[in-house]
Amino acid sequence: MKLLEERIKADGVVKSDQVLKVDSFLNHQMDIGLFRQMARQWRHDFDGAPINKVLTIEASGIAIAAIVAEEFGVPVVFAKKSQSVNLDGTVYSTRITSFTHKREYDVIVSAKFLGPDDHVLIIDDFMANGCAMEGLVQICEAAGATVEGIGIAVEKGFQPGGDSLRAKGYRVDSLAIVESMDSETGEIAFRE
Ligand code: 5GP
């Protein structure tokens, strides 16, 4: 998506060869007009898919997913970070290794909000190693829900998450795929 690529080039900061900062428009301060354009792109790309739920993960996926859900006219559920998986009735849970914080945590989704009738579009801001998205796919499988696709704002194509999920047969629709980035020059190149 040209609009997102141009915004990343203009306002993204390459913090290291592994980490891209886009907190001025995507995951700290948020440009909702841009989110709306992104949501419309996914709506177009997934036209005809029987999506009846959007699923994301706390915290930075929530705002993007909320706009996407409104665009699709369906509810949005976010997987919650949890200390205790057994507090609140039946839950599906998975353990995720955080890319940015390098630690493990559990996330849960209540069985009340995800089940066999659901056709899910999973949304997140970034894909790196794919651990967060693998976790949400596992939660959908445990719930008997169907994963219609995975929509990512920024995939780092030089890290394995996106291509590994594609190889497993999932439809991964990343609006910008960073092929390489250089923290010294600040240069960012996108996959065609
Ligand atoms: P993964 O589970 O794919 O390894 O990492 C995905 C999660 O890590 C995303 O939800 C995102 O919050 C965070 N993340 C991964 N790479 C980056 C990055 O380059 N910049 C930022 N801001 N967040 C990232």
Side-chain angles (χ1 to χ4, degrees):
M1 186 189 180
K2 274 278 159 270
L3 185 69
L4 180 60
E5 291 182 358
E6 279 163 15
R7 189 64 179 271
I8 293 168
K9 282 210 167 191
D11 294 336
V13 178
V14 184
K15 289 300 279 185
S16 70
D17 290 345
Q18 305 293 311
V19 177
L20 176 64
K21 235 179 155 185
V22 287
D23 60 355
S24 64
F25 62 96
L26 200 76
N27 53 20
H28 192 10
Q29 176 169 257
M30 298 181 289
D31 181 341
I32 303 301
L34 175 66
F35 291 6
R36 175 76 54 201
Q37 297 298 320
M38 289 160 49
R40 288 194 179 134
Q41 183 67 51
W42 281 314
R43 182 90 191 86
H44 174 267
D45 294 349
F46 285 97
D47 189 34
I51 290 162
N52 64 356
K53 198 154 285 185
V54 170
L55 177 67
T56 188
I57 184 164
E58 202 174 14
S60 50
I62 295 175
I64 301 169
I67 305 292
V68 172
E70 191 194 31
E71 191 67 34
F72 280 74
V74 302
V76 54
V77 176
F78 65 93
K80 281 166 106 83
K81 292 179 182 164
S82 171
Q83 307 292 353
S84 150
V85 291
N86 288 322
L87 262 186
D88 194 23
T90 309
V91 296
Y92 303 109
S93 75
T94 190
R95 179 154 292 186
I96 285 174
T97 305
S98 156
F99 179 85
T100 34
H101 301 110
K102 308 282 180 234
R103 60 176 188 86
E104 290 197 331
Y105 58 95
D106 292 315
V107 295
I108 60 164
V109 172
S110 167
K112 284 185 287 193
F113 305 127
L114 196 65
D117 294 336
D118 286 323
H119 290 257
V120 179
L121 174 60
I122 302 175
I123 293 286
D124 204 9
D125 60 341
F126 265 94
M127 174 98 78
N129 293 328
C131 189
M133 293 303 92
E134 298 265 7
L136 293 192
V137 165
Q138 273 172 26
I139 281 181
C140 287
E141 278 169 3
T146 306
V147 176
E148 293 290 334
I150 301 170
I152 299 292
V154 188
E155 175 181 338
K156 286 174 291 174
F158 55 89
Q159 289 165 345
D163 289 334
S164 135
L165 280 156
R166 288 184 188 99
K168 289 180 184 162
Y170 291 101
R171 181 171 173 194
V172 180
D173 184 356
S174 301
L175 299 184
I177 304 183
V178 175
E179 206 51 272
S180 63
M181 56 190 203
D182 188 321
S183 56
E184 274 173 26
T185 61
E187 222 160 288
I188 302 170
F190 294 98
R191 191 180 290 182
E192 288 300 319

